[in-house]
Amino acid sequence: MAGILLTGLLCYGLHRTEYSRSNTGAYGAFLLVYVVHLGSGWLTSPDNMGDYQRDLVLQLPFLILPIGFWLLPPLPASYLRKLWLTFIVVTLVAALLSTGNYLAHFEQINELYLHSKVMPTEPDHIRFSLIITLAIAAGAGLIVHGSLKRTARVGLITALVALALYQHMLAVRSGLITFYFLGGVVCLWLIIQRKKYRQAAAVAIGLILLPVISYICFPTFRNKSTNTKEDVGRVENTASANNYSLVGRVYSYKVALKVIQDNLWVGVGKADIADEMATRYQQEFPTIQAASYIQPHNQYLYSTVAFGVVGLLLFIIGFYYAGLCIWPRYAPLLLAQYLIVTLSFLVEYTLETQIGLAFALFFLLLALEGSKPIATQESEWRPA
């Protein structure tokens, strides 16, 4: 990230007269998210100032990356294509390494899935499942737009099939939800926008067959389905939050709503969330053990607890303005990443971890790079 900022500054210093910086509002809006975190300091209790300072460091990408990308000149289409292909290849290699580890510990890992755990991945399984969905979306975009030669095209199709199968073998709910949601969006686009009904039917059939095949072939997928059904069936039992991840999330939402009711407009400050949530857990759900207290696994709820309704609105404006301001320009990768991240927001506090924040913001900005105006017309599709 520091390298991107330094490169942008050098480009600006050496070549500022040769190209114009565009979409200033789109890049500048992301800075508003950092301002929201910065402003929460006035609510932070003295005992938690250390956590507040660590949060300001964690959220620095909202300063560094937008400025760095904004200062960069428009990258050629060939550069952008190579960057996205590199991302797909690296994701495939990581998936193959994970698969090898799974096969080496087949029985042990299958058993993990019955206890709300999954196979080891790098990075963590939730973010990795989102990365896989984005890699599939990026690869599909490159194929549809004819950006590759025949051999590379065949290789990419093979890689995407392998990643789709791995997504089901990994069987992480966040990744599967984003995968099928984007698949549904593609079907609608083919029907409404392109009038290609056969292709839409082919995609729909694939989306129907994939879970059936996965249930038959992958023990991890079967065990995850069993675990999810058991998890859902225990929601009414409060004590189950101590052992079941979905139950724990449901009660984290209930506790968060209690905190929000008393701190509606400006929240409690992000650094004080853990203390406030713990107090409400003790008051409302005493059967849940302290070790099982979790923060609300929903980015919007989390932000409302931390910054109140005012802070939530500022966050939404800052984070989504880039997508709105380039509308209706054609930017399928930007839309795909916004959809992936937004869906993850519903079940995770994605932006409160280093890898989650880096994944969300970097690939939004990389997709936005393809929408920069260029001086000369390019024959290739600029991945955007």
Side-chain angles (χ1 to χ4, degrees), residues 100 122 174 294 328 370:
E122 188 63 43
S174 298
I294 60 175

Side-chain angles (χ1 to χ4, degrees), residues 30 319-323 334-343 364:
F30 287 112
F319 191 79
Y320 288 100
Y321 182 76
L334 183 65
L335 175 61
Q337 177 65 343
Y338 263 124
L339 290 175
I340 290 169
V341 173
T342 299
L343 288 169
L364 284 175

